[in-house]
Each structure stands twice: as structure tokens, then as C-alpha cells.
Amino acid sequence: MILLIIVGVILLILSFVLKNNASNPLFKFSGIFRSIGILVIVLGIFSSMFKQIDAGKVGVKSLYGSVQPDILESGLHLINPLLDVTDFDIQTQNYTMSAVHNEGAQEGDDAIRVLSNDGLEVVIDLTVLYKITPTDAPKIFKQIGVNYTDKIVRPVTRTRIRDNAVYYDAVALYSTKRNEFQQKIFKSIEDDFKSRGLILEQLLIRNINLPASVKMTIESKINAEQDAQKMTFVLQKEKQEAERKRVEAQGIADYQRIISTGLTDKQLQYEQIKAQKEIATSPNTKIIFMGKGSAPVILSDK
């Protein structure tokens, strides 16, 4: 739009120059240049009267450095052609600070290093989800500018995390107090953002890295606990097996006692005759010898 106006002005100047120079071969085109110049200027002014704001954005108006308090919402607007309109993204944005190269918003290691209550350095990877309050966009533009991420989001987040980390031990941050720590820093960052026209939607602690010595201590403790649980299981299993054997032995003893006290000679003779009868009727039986005064002897071929 501004470019069209500039081109039109140039064409007008060129037309006046040619008009005052009759010897110039382009003298006869001076009227055409003037007409085209006027047309281009009118088109540029007309175009600058319309401003389209894309979805998910708002427009902040300023006139010669004076920021207007109202905003332009998404859509097509008819505005003063002298106004300068700056677009602000009001959708959810994220800012990641990570120790992994090219994973965060900054190049290289951008993780947050804090000192815990026990004097150990803890490295925290973090992602901040936030967005602009649409009605506060003019205030942000006037007081902070368009680079609010580096001026507000990054420094406030890093400072509040360091301020709150000193109340926790390193191991507590890594394990039992992680959720409490996250909620605490969320509240403090949320208040700071709100006063600046920003909305904190979510604070995601992606990773907490402890010093190598502390990690080894934690791993040793976990391994010891696992070994203790394993030994408890083994002892319980052995105890159950011993109880099973005791019950089995008691059953055998009871059986033997019943047999020894409950069977008579006639019962034993009767059971022997039954067994011999079954063998004798078997198709595989060949010879039966009956001994006098002794138990019969039966040979069978299988």
C-alpha cells in the first residue's frame, strides 16, 4: 500500500520533469505518466484504508507512535490510512527450555540450573504454554513491545523456578515433591504473567536431572529395596512350601495310623483274594499256582 503511493509519487514527479523538457523523447508521455501516477496514489490510499486481521490474531493500532486502546479483531476492517497496525498472536504459544541441542527455543543447552535446599545443582527442562490476553495487546505493545517472549516469558519463568527450588531438597524435587513444586511455581508465574497481560495455561516440567552422585545413591537405594522385596517373597514361598510338606507328612502319618489300627487279618485276606481274582480273569494270565497254607502265586504275561 505504502509502496503503491511511493510509486505513484515517483510517476507524478517524472511526469512534471518530462512536461518541462520538450526536447525529451518521452515528452509526449508526460500526461500518461501523470494519469498513471494519480491512479496509483489513489489506489494505494484506497488499499491502505482496508486492513485484514487473520484468524487467531488481533491488530494493535498506532498513529505517529501513539498506541490506540482498542484492538482490531480477526476479519476485514476499514481504518484510517495513516494508522500503523501491528498483528499480535492470541493463540496458545509454547516456550521450551531444554538441555538437548535444538530442542528448545534457544540454541544449545538452555535448561534451567537451580540450587536445591541441600546445595546441589539440579537441571530442569521446562515447557511454558501461554497466550496473550486480547484486550491487553495494546498495553503489551506500549510497555513491552512485540518481543514479549524474551522480555517476560523467559526471564520470569527462570527466576521464579530458581526462587522456589531453594525450598526443596534435590531428591524431593526429583521424586516426592515434584508435583508440589510444579504447582507452586505455576502459581507464582501465573501472577506475574497476568500483571503483564499474559495468560499462563500450563507449566510442564519435562525432566529433572540430578548430579551423578545423587543418582547413584538413589539407584542403590531402589536396588536394595527391590532385593529386600524379592527376599521377602522367597521367604514367604519357602514358608508356604514347608507348611505344605508338614500337612502332607501329617496326612501320611494319619493314613498309616488308620491302616495299622483298622485292618484285620481277614480283611487283608479278602483284599488279596480280590486282587488274585482280577488277575486270573485277565486275558494275559497264563498260569496260576496255589501254594498250600501260603498266598497264591500268579504269573501273567503282558
Side-chain angles (χ1 to χ4, degrees):
M1 304 167 193
I2 300 298
L3 181 61
L4 287 176
I5 296 175
I6 294 174
V7 171
V9 171
I10 293 174
L11 290 174
L12 279 178
I13 295 174
L14 181 60
S15 68
F16 286 121
V17 171
L18 293 176
K19 185 178 179 181
N20 295 324
N21 190 357
S23 60
N24 194 305
L26 298 176
F27 171 78
K28 59 182 178 180
F29 297 109
S30 60
I32 297 176
F33 285 151
R34 183 174 65 254
S35 300
I36 294 176
I38 294 173
L39 181 62
V40 171
I41 291 174
V42 171
L43 183 60
I45 294 174
F46 184 77
S47 301
S48 62
M49 294 173 63
F50 293 92
K51 174 64 178 179
Q52 179 180 333
I53 305 298
D54 295 333
K57 295 183 179 181
V58 294
V60 176
K61 301 176 293 181
S62 61
L63 181 62
Y64 301 119
S66 176
V67 180
Q68 307 296 310
D70 58 322
I71 59 173
L72 298 176
E73 297 184 352
S74 60
L76 187 63
H77 300 270
L78 181 64
I79 63 171
N80 183 343
L82 299 178
L83 282 175
D84 184 21
V85 179
T86 303
D87 290 346
F88 273 77
D89 190 349
I90 59 173
Q91 295 178 328
T92 298
Q93 304 176 59
N94 74 81
Y95 191 89
T96 297
M97 289 164 277
S98 172
V100 180
H101 185 71
N102 288 335
E103 189 177 57
Q106 301 284 337
E107 289 287 338
D109 185 352
D110 192 40
I112 306 170
R113 284 167 170 76
V114 301
L115 285 178
S116 62
N117 189 34
D118 47 358
L120 295 175
E121 185 184 67
V122 179
V123 182
I124 300 176
D125 285 7
L126 188 81
T127 294
V128 184
L129 298 179
Y130 68 98
K131 63 182 180 181
I132 288 177
T133 304
T135 54
D136 287 336
K139 183 180 73 172
I140 295 173
F141 184 59
K142 185 176 181 179
Q143 297 179 356
I144 303 169
V146 295
N147 195 18
Y148 49 85
T149 300
D150 290 334
K151 291 182 179 179
I152 300 298
V153 176
R154 176 182 170 84
V156 167
T157 301
R158 298 177 77 92
T159 300
R160 292 307 178 193
I161 288 177
R162 291 192 178 102
D163 290 345
N164 287 280
V166 296
Y167 297 105
Y168 298 89
D169 294 339
V171 176
L173 281 176
Y174 184 78
S175 54
T176 58
K177 298 293 184 178
R178 179 167 179 160
N179 288 335
E180 178 184 315
F181 173 65
Q182 182 167 304
Q183 293 172 2
K184 192 171 183 179
I185 58 177
F186 180 92
K187 180 60 179 173
S188 61
I189 295 173
E190 182 184 36
D191 293 339
D192 283 343
F193 276 20
K194 188 175 181 180
S195 65
R196 300 286 188 153
L198 301 175
I199 299 173
L200 178 61
E201 293 188 332
Q202 221 171 351
L203 195 67
L204 306 175
I205 295 180
R206 304 165 68 245
N207 194 22
I208 295 180
N209 290 318
L210 301 178
S213 58
V214 178
K215 280 187 176 180
M216 290 179 61
T217 302
I218 294 176
E219 290 173 358
S220 298
K221 182 180 178 181
I222 293 174
N223 291 334
E225 291 175 350
Q226 290 177 344
D227 290 341
Q229 291 175 357
K230 182 178 179 181
M231 183 56 65
T232 301
F233 173 77
V234 171
L235 292 175
Q236 186 177 5
K237 186 177 180 181
E238 291 294 335
K239 184 178 179 180
Q240 291 173 344
E241 181 65 16
E243 181 66 17
R244 186 192 66 78
K245 290 181 179 179
R246 187 191 68 77
V247 172
E248 182 181 9
Q250 183 64 43
I252 293 173
D254 291 344
Y255 171 77
Q256 290 175 344
R257 179 177 57 79
I258 292 171
I259 292 297
S260 63
T261 59
L263 293 178
T264 62
D265 292 340
K266 290 184 178 182
Q267 286 175 321
L268 290 173
Q269 186 177 11
Y270 172 72
E271 293 295 333
Q272 190 177 38
I273 292 171
K274 276 176 59 178
Q276 291 172 351
K277 184 178 179 181
E278 291 178 0
I279 295 175
T281 57
S282 172
N284 295 324
T285 303
K286 299 301 181 182
I287 303 173
I288 300 177
F289 295 98
M290 301 295 293
K292 184 179 180 180
S294 61
V297 178
I298 303 173
L299 299 178
S300 61
D301 182 15
K302 294 185 178 180

